[in-house]
Structure formats: C-alpha cells, structure tokens
Amino acid sequence: MTAVERKLDAVDAADRIAAVDGAIEARRSVRAFLPTPVPRTTVEDILRVARCAPSGTNMQPWQVYVLTGNAKASLSRALRAVHDDPEAVREHKHEKPYYPEPWPEPWLSRRRKLGWELYGLLGIQREDRDRMQHQHGRNLDFFDAPVGMVFTISRRLELGSWLDYGGFLQNIAIAAQARGLGTCIQAAFAPLHRVVRSHLNLSDDEMVVCGLSLGHPDPARPENTLRSHREPVSVFADFRE
C-alpha cells in the first residue's frame, strides 16, 4: 500500500468511526413522534441490519411483531383500557421481573433523577399522580409513533438469550438513528402480556420482552429535549494490568 493509499484508508476509517459513534451517541429515548409514515422497506432494512447482532451459538432468539395502522391502534386501545382502570391493572405483572424490588442505590437515585427531569420538562408536579399515570400510559400508545414493535422470546430459553436480545434491540435503535428516525425501547408492555398475547395470538411458548416505538421525532415536544446523564468511564470500568 502506498503512502497515498494509507492516508485515504485512514480517512475512510475516521469517517466510519465518526458515523458509528455519532449514531450511538445521538440515540435517545423518543417520547413523542410525528405522524409521518415510515415505509415498510425502511423498517425491513432496519431489521435486516439488526439481525447481525451476536447471539450465543447463533441462536438468534428474537421474534418481532411489527404493527402499523389498525393493528397498532387496536392493541393500544386494549392496553389503555386496562392501564387506565386502577382495579384491572393490579391484576397484571411481569412474567420475569424487570426491575429490582426494593430499589437499591445507586440505581434508585438514577431512576428518580431521570423521572423528575422528564416530569419537569412536562410541567408535572410531584403530587400530580394523575398526570404521571397519563404520561406512563402514553407508552402503550407507542407515543403516537407510526410504527410499533412487540418483541417475544421462547420461554424455553435462558439468561444468555435474554442478554443476546439486548444487542438486537440496540442494533434496531442505532440503525434507525442512522436513517434519521427515533426509537423508544419500552418495558411498559411486558406487565400487560396477557392483553398482548390475546391481541397478537401469541403461542403459549412466547414471552413478551418489550415494545418499541419507531418514527420521526417531534422536535416541538419538550420531552424530546431530555438527555439522560451517563456516568463517566471511570465510574464503571476497572482497568487492570
């Protein structure tokens, strides 16, 4: 390789790094979307890229249900009917716990910080439980995104496959970001798995992992200005030689 070729190769590498790093660092949880449609071909391209996520022995444990139009609206209506009924919602819970109970530190403080930052942007006061409940319910409307996804996994699979699933979901978010789209990965669908199961006609073997909203972020909405804090590398990385 000549000196010129080496220089061009270094420029290409720098461009690739900038593009990938930029998509990762720009990704955020979008909580309000424009009604602008997303072509099916774009969704298929995102999933085609995301399927390259690593998985133990190439198991590829993911199953995706892509919802638009009436299919998405119908599921959201059924979910909101349960969510908005204080008596009915008490009968629903995660099949596998997602969060710790009780919450220990430092994770409790991080959770609270994010929550109050979001509510602050929306003008929701600490004592306004009804507005908090309403905001949480917007998860089930896919935050008005034109595309909603529901992810399931076989209940025969173990922890390793759940870890692999995270890489797949991350790939979807990054591939969408690279295409100028926003996403929100949502645990809120999992507790209402019985409603999801009935609407999507899931098999008994399938467990609901989460939902995901996909579309064009609404730049006018204050919740989309939220940037969650990330700890510096020194907090979570222990380098040893």
Side-chain angles (χ1 to χ4, degrees):
M1 181 181 292
T2 66
V4 172
E5 288 173 331
R6 284 195 297 271
K7 185 175 181 180
L8 290 173
D9 187 60
V11 171
D12 289 342
D15 288 344
R16 288 194 301 271
I17 292 170
V20 174
D21 287 2
I24 293 172
E25 292 177 341
R27 185 222 62 84
R28 63 187 187 276
S29 293
V30 175
R31 295 179 175 88
F33 291 84
L34 297 170
T36 309
V38 177
R40 175 170 172 166
T41 53
T42 300
V43 179
E44 290 176 342
D45 280 345
I46 290 170
L47 294 174
R48 176 183 54 79
V49 172
R51 67 185 177 143
C52 296
S55 61
T57 67
N58 197 32
M59 291 175 66
Q60 304 173 67
W62 33 83
Q63 175 66 41
V64 189
Y65 295 87
V66 182
L67 309 175
T68 58
N70 290 335
K72 182 175 70 71
S74 176
L75 175 61
S76 290
R77 283 195 299 271
L79 291 167
R80 285 301 296 263
V82 173
H83 175 272
D84 295 342
D85 183 335
E87 295 297 325
V89 76
R90 291 193 187 99
E91 300 176 5
H92 295 262
K93 61 181 181 179
H94 288 270
E95 288 195 86
K96 281 185 178 291
Y98 188 92
Y99 296 114
E101 183 60 43
W103 280 81
E105 293 291 355
W107 306 285
L108 176 61
S109 293
R110 292 174 186 170
R111 176 185 188 237
R112 284 176 171 168
K113 183 176 187 298
L114 178 67
W116 293 126
E117 286 176 347
L118 173 61
Y119 292 149
L121 290 170
L122 295 170
I124 299 175
Q125 304 301 315
R126 295 190 179 217
E127 65 276 8
D128 198 344
R129 298 296 177 184
D130 288 343
R131 290 190 66 192
M132 290 182 190
Q133 179 75 353
H134 173 76
Q135 177 60 28
H136 184 266
R138 281 184 44 73
N139 276 279
L140 307 176
D141 294 327
F142 295 96
F143 295 115
D144 299 324
V147 180
M149 299 185 190
V150 173
F151 301 87
T152 68
I153 189 172
S154 169
R155 61 180 69 253
R156 292 170 291 172
L157 300 182
E158 298 293 348
L159 178 61
S161 292
W162 286 80
L163 293 173
D164 295 339
Y165 223 118
F168 177 64
L169 293 168
Q170 174 78 349
N171 275 4
I172 291 175
I174 300 307
Q177 185 71 35
R179 289 162 173 79
L181 299 171
T183 56
C184 188
I185 300 171
Q186 299 157 274
F189 290 85
L192 301 176
H193 56 89
R194 284 187 284 150
V195 181
V196 176
R197 180 178 306 284
S198 174
H199 253 69
L200 300 186
N201 194 28
L202 302 182
S203 70
D204 291 340
D205 182 55
E206 291 178 271
M207 293 182 65
V208 175
V209 176
C210 64
L212 182 143
S213 300
L214 171 71
H216 296 271
D218 185 344
R221 296 288 287 268
E223 56 264 54
N224 284 340
T225 66
L226 178 63
R227 297 294 183 273
S228 55
H229 172 74
R230 291 295 190 270
E231 298 293 341
V233 174
S234 59
V235 169
F236 62 82
D238 184 346
F239 292 87
R240 304 185 183 191
E241 296 181 355

